[in-house]
Amino acid sequence: MADRVVTLNAGSSSVKFALFAADADWPRLIVSGAVEGLGAKPRFRAAIVDGDASDRPLAAKLTHKQAIAAIFEWIEDAYPAAAVSAIGHRVVHGGLSFAAPIIVDAETLAELREFIPLAPLHQPHNIAGIEVARDAFPHVPQVACFDTAFHRGHAFVDDAYALPYSYYERGLRRFGFHGLSYEYISRRLRTIDPVHAEGGVIIAHLGNGASLCAMKGGRSIATSMGFSALEGLPMGTRCGQIDPGLLLYLLQSDAMTPEELSHLLYERSGLLGLSGVSHDMRTLEASEDPRAQAAIAYFIHRIKMEIAALAAAIGGFDALVFTAGIGEHSPRVRAGVVEGLGWLGLTLDTAANSRNDPVISAAQSRIPVFVTPTDEEAMIARHTIETAGLTAAAR
Ligand code: ADP
């Protein structure tokens, strides 16, 4: 039987998982699922490809570690003969050290813990996932796949903040995130449109977290997120671009504590903060509240501005790709962005856009615009198979 790999993607309120077979050039999905609603009403759901689905409540007050343990128990029950050969983990922050996936050992795990302050919403849960998986499968390699890795190797001008140079040397840099998604889309684009894929491409990953990446020849050149996952676009609950002077003002004049400021910027801002209605784009689109509409307008406006800035960083672009929840499913947001960039040579096919078609630009558009579903899990599985050295054995 071909090797099996499990992927874990632990976020702030959910842990997604998947089981893949390593029996082809590309990982084959067997089952995907998640524990969602951690901290509120946790539920377990799993869907077997072409098979049964289960969806059931779990005990309230589940910790991330307990949720991950429940996932492994389910996998062992459902697939007793699955013989898991490796486990792949999405790890949000790899700092300066990790520019590629690695097999985690005690030393690297300690290093990953040092990045917790840089990604407080994700990194602790990513590490918890590795710890639980290691206990459940002590002889199986644990592979860490980093969201930052795809962006390492940026030129100085796209990597630095204009602080004293010693801060740059210390590693206070523009790391960028969503790298697994960008890498996946970059590979997909090579199949969808091989010619444009090699040129300048801007990818808009618009989910609860949102960022943009400008690539050339399939490599990341610049990205809208920076040192933390707060920079760039406004998000579900995160502020995006902000004047650091405003933060100084809040610390000094409002005597905010760092914890209060962190809570404000990560959890009370963005679409939720602006609208006062919801962090969720579907809810905002359905709302008649003028502030909900203003929040959507702000979101679209900032995407347009950041795309233009990234276009300058790569000397213009040949294709634009929308992905993730909003990018894949919101004709309204895409129309706002594409029509707003008409001056750059983008023309929307309104009917194709309303159907969420794979290509939403009109035939005469100078720059093609794609809607491409992302698949971070498959990308993690692919890296895990390669890093654990399973590919050759499976073929
Ligand atoms: P995450 O970053 O948590 O993985 P997703 O990529 O799933 O998030 O994106 C979630 C966002 O996508 C939410 O704001 C949600 O409202 C939005 N979304 C999903 N479906 C639609 C839709 N049909 N129309 C508009 N927005 C949508």
Side-chain angles (χ1 to χ4, degrees), residues 259-318:
E259 291 73 26
E260 286 167 344
L261 192 54
S262 173
H263 186 60
L264 172 72
L265 301 177
Y266 275 102
E267 288 166 70
R268 291 176 48 214
S269 299
L271 296 173
L272 172 67
L274 285 174
S275 69
V277 173
S278 173
H279 70 280
D280 190 278
M281 184 56 76
R282 257 172 309 196
T283 310
L284 296 179
E285 288 187 355
S287 168
E288 286 174 11
D289 189 317
R291 276 175 53 197
Q293 300 311 309
I296 299 173
Y298 183 90
F299 187 61
I300 292 170
H301 187 65
R302 295 300 323 178
I303 297 169
K304 284 186 302 189
M305 289 178 72
E306 293 271 354
I307 288 178
L310 287 180
I314 54 170
F317 59 102
D318 307 295

Side-chain angles (χ1 to χ4, degrees), residues 5-347:
V5 299
V6 173
T7 63
L8 276 187
N9 181 349
S12 49
S13 66
S14 71
V15 182
K16 294 182 199 159
F17 73 94
L19 181 68
F20 287 87
D23 60 358
D25 284 344
W26 189 250
R28 178 171 56 82
L29 183 67
I30 300 170
V31 57
S32 65
V35 174
E36 285 162 342
L38 286 168
K41 288 186 183 156
R43 290 193 76 79
F44 175 91
R45 63 170 178 78
I48 298 166
V49 175
D50 299 329
D52 292 343
S54 61
D55 189 338
R56 61 187 161 86
L58 293 169
K61 296 212 168 158
L62 213 58
T63 65
H64 276 74
K65 284 198 163 185
Q66 288 166 329
I68 296 163
I71 288 170
F72 283 124
E73 273 166 33
W74 185 87
I75 292 175
E76 286 190 322
D77 278 358
Y79 295 93
V84 173
S85 303
I87 300 173
H89 301 264
R90 177 189 181 201
V91 177
V92 163
H93 220 302
L96 289 184
S97 318
F98 302 114
I102 48 146
I103 296 182
V104 180
D105 57 20
E107 204 176 311
T108 47
L109 195 57
E111 209 169 330
L112 298 183
R113 283 197 192 95
E114 289 174 18
F115 306 139
I116 288 177
L118 308 186
L121 291 193
H122 296 94
Q123 194 85 352
H125 308 310
N126 303 156
I127 289 170
I130 297 173
E131 289 168 345
V132 176
R134 202 183 42 179
D135 291 348
F137 295 90
H139 305 298
V140 165
Q142 309 291 327
V143 178
C145 305
F146 302 101
D147 261 327
T148 46
F150 190 60
H151 304 297
R152 294 315 309 140
H154 281 183
F156 173 77
V157 289
D158 284 309
D159 200 29
Y161 291 99
L163 292 166
Y165 192 76
S166 57
Y167 288 72
Y168 176 75
E169 290 179 310
R170 243 177 82 186
L172 304 192
R173 302 186 185 191
R174 300 180 51 89
F175 289 106
F177 300 88
H178 290 137
L180 294 161
S181 173
Y182 292 131
E183 191 178 359
Y184 175 81
I185 297 288
S186 156
R187 281 170 175 255
R188 281 289 299 138
L189 199 58
R190 281 200 196 119
T191 310
I192 297 167
D193 184 346
V195 174
H196 286 116
E198 290 310 312
V201 176
I202 293 186
I203 304 174
H205 177 110
L206 309 177
N208 281 316
S211 72
L212 301 167
C213 181
M215 306 188 313
K216 275 213 145 164
R219 286 187 50 232
S220 168
I221 304 293
T223 186
S224 63
M225 276 182 175
F227 176 70
S228 74
L230 284 175
E231 197 181 350
L233 301 178
M235 305 173 216
T237 60
R238 285 172 254 166
C239 60
Q241 182 276 336
I242 199 163
D243 179 353
L246 199 154
L247 308 182
L248 292 175
Y249 177 84
L250 292 175
L251 287 172
Q252 289 161 353
S253 298
D254 284 21
M256 265 193 174
T257 64
E259 291 73 26
E260 286 167 344
L261 192 54
S262 173
H263 186 60
L264 172 72
L265 301 177
Y266 275 102
E267 288 166 70
R268 291 176 48 214
S269 299
L271 296 173
L272 172 67
L274 285 174
S275 69
V277 173
S278 173
H279 70 280
D280 190 278
M281 184 56 76
R282 257 172 309 196
T283 310
L284 296 179
E285 288 187 355
S287 168
E288 286 174 11
D289 189 317
R291 276 175 53 197
Q293 300 311 309
I296 299 173
Y298 183 90
F299 187 61
I300 292 170
H301 187 65
R302 295 300 323 178
I303 297 169
K304 284 186 302 189
M305 289 178 72
E306 293 271 354
I307 288 178
L310 287 180
I314 54 170
F317 59 102
D318 307 295
L320 173 64
V321 186
F322 287 96
T323 194
I326 300 170
E328 292 167 31
H329 303 291
S330 172
R332 178 167 165 193
V333 169
R334 290 191 308 253
V337 173
V338 173
E339 286 170 355
L341 292 173
W343 58 276
L344 269 176
L346 282 75
T347 312

